[in-house]
Amino acid sequence: IPAQRLRDNRQTLEESLSLQDPWDAGIETGEELSYLRNGVGAQVLRKLRRGHWVIQDELDLHGLTVKEAHALLVSFLNRCIRRGLRCARIVHGKGLRSKNREPVLKRKVAGWLMRREEILAYCQARQADGGGGAVIVLLKG
């Protein structure tokens, strides 16, 4: 049994679920979330912000722990990819009911999405679609 490899895998998993990770560094609570994968044109993010793509499915993570939210997000994204969906909304909440009124899931979701190759871009949802409590995600087609 490769014991060191198992320890490394366990440590990586724990770090990805921890509240302190390097993806948190650039995301402040009042800042609008947005991301554009390298090599994808800026017009894609502009179109996403303007609602160019129809939201085909959504996931609501309200009230979940970080671990529960991560598992559901991975499952949701895999399902979207299998179904060939291009655009989805992920509701992470604004963090108003969390400890210290901080949007923990907002930061986590942003980091998790950046790590997925299938994610081309994401941005904060328009006010009618959840505003600062949700992101709109564009997946590879």
Side-chain angles (χ1 to χ4, degrees), residues 53-54 56-57 76-88 138-141:
W53 287 277
V54 174
Q56 298 170 302
D57 203 352
F76 173 74
L77 291 174
N78 289 339
R79 190 173 71 242
C80 286
I81 292 161
R82 277 194 312 273
R83 293 172 52 206
L85 304 183
R86 289 290 317 268
C87 187
L138 184 65
L139 298 124
K140 285 183 181 178

Side-chain angles (χ1 to χ4, degrees), residues 56-118:
Q56 298 170 302
D57 203 352
E58 76 174 33
L59 174 67
D60 190 343
L61 301 174
H62 274 109
L64 300 178
T65 66
V66 170
K67 191 174 183 176
E68 292 167 338
H70 186 252
L72 270 179
L73 179 67
V74 168
S75 174
F76 173 74
L77 291 174
N78 289 339
R79 190 173 71 242
C80 286
I81 292 161
R82 277 194 312 273
R83 293 172 52 206
L85 304 183
R86 289 290 317 268
C87 187
R89 174 176 43 201
I90 300 169
V91 180
H92 48 68
K94 296 180 181 178
L96 300 178
R97 294 186 186 144
S98 66
K99 185 178 180 181
N100 298 328
R101 297 176 62 86
E102 292 181 15
V104 174
L105 287 181
K106 180 177 184 176
R107 293 187 197 115
K108 288 297 185 181
V109 167
W112 295 331
L113 291 174
M114 282 188 235
R115 293 179 181 130
R116 297 282 303 236
E117 273 301 310
E118 309 86 16

Side-chain angles (χ1 to χ4, degrees), residues 32-48:
E32 177 182 322
L33 293 183
S34 67
Y35 169 76
L36 185 63
R37 180 161 302 286
N38 283 340
V40 178
Q43 75 279 7
V44 170
L45 189 56
R46 278 194 298 276
K47 286 181 175 182
L48 190 60

